Amino acid sequence: MSINVQRLLHRYRQILTVGGLGVLLAVLIVDTRWISHPISTAVLMLSIFALRTVPVRLSKYSYLTQSAVPTLVGAVCVGPAPVVAGLWVGVAGADVFGLHKQPQAGLINANQRWCG
């Protein structure tokens, strides 16, 4: 049995992109607390952006971000929808604008971060 790794990775990327955006939209449509708490959502977006942009370097190829701290605080204080919106925008924005990754990689990371 032979596995085509390139095809497998391509399918995985497609599933993360389409599936992640679909679930994100479903969460934001069903739970509209992110609209009624715009300041909390904006603070979550900015704090996740800032903490993901400045990681703690562990070695040449590994690093640690503290984006879990505002995620946990937001989950306890304002609920899941503002946290989902904050995670998606914060991670995508930090990857593309702060860490200068390719836009497609930033979107995949944003979809993967809050889904899994």
Side-chain angles (χ1 to χ4, degrees), residues 28 31-49 70 74 78-90:
L28 295 180
D31 187 3
T32 59
R33 280 182 281 185
W34 63 280
I35 296 172
S36 60
H37 299 294
I39 295 173
S40 300
T41 305
V43 167
L44 283 168
M45 289 176 187
L46 292 174
S47 61
I48 291 169
F49 179 89
V78 292
V83 172
V84 167
L87 266 174
W88 197 88
V89 171

Side-chain angles (χ1 to χ4, degrees), residues 39-116:
I39 295 173
S40 300
T41 305
V43 167
L44 283 168
M45 289 176 187
L46 292 174
S47 61
I48 291 169
F49 179 89
L51 290 172
R52 186 159 172 93
T53 302
V54 186
V56 176
R57 303 272 179 213
L58 299 176
S59 70
K60 184 176 180 180
Y61 298 109
S62 66
Y63 60 90
L64 188 68
T65 65
Q66 297 298 320
S67 58
V69 174
T71 302
L72 294 172
V73 171
V76 170
C77 294
V78 292
V83 172
V84 167
L87 266 174
W88 197 88
V89 171
V91 169
D95 282 359
V96 174
F97 299 112
L99 299 174
H100 305 291
K101 294 181 181 180
Q102 294 178 356
Q104 185 177 18
L107 292 176
I108 291 171
N109 287 342
N111 289 331
Q112 180 183 16
R113 180 66 54 199
W114 73 270
C115 284

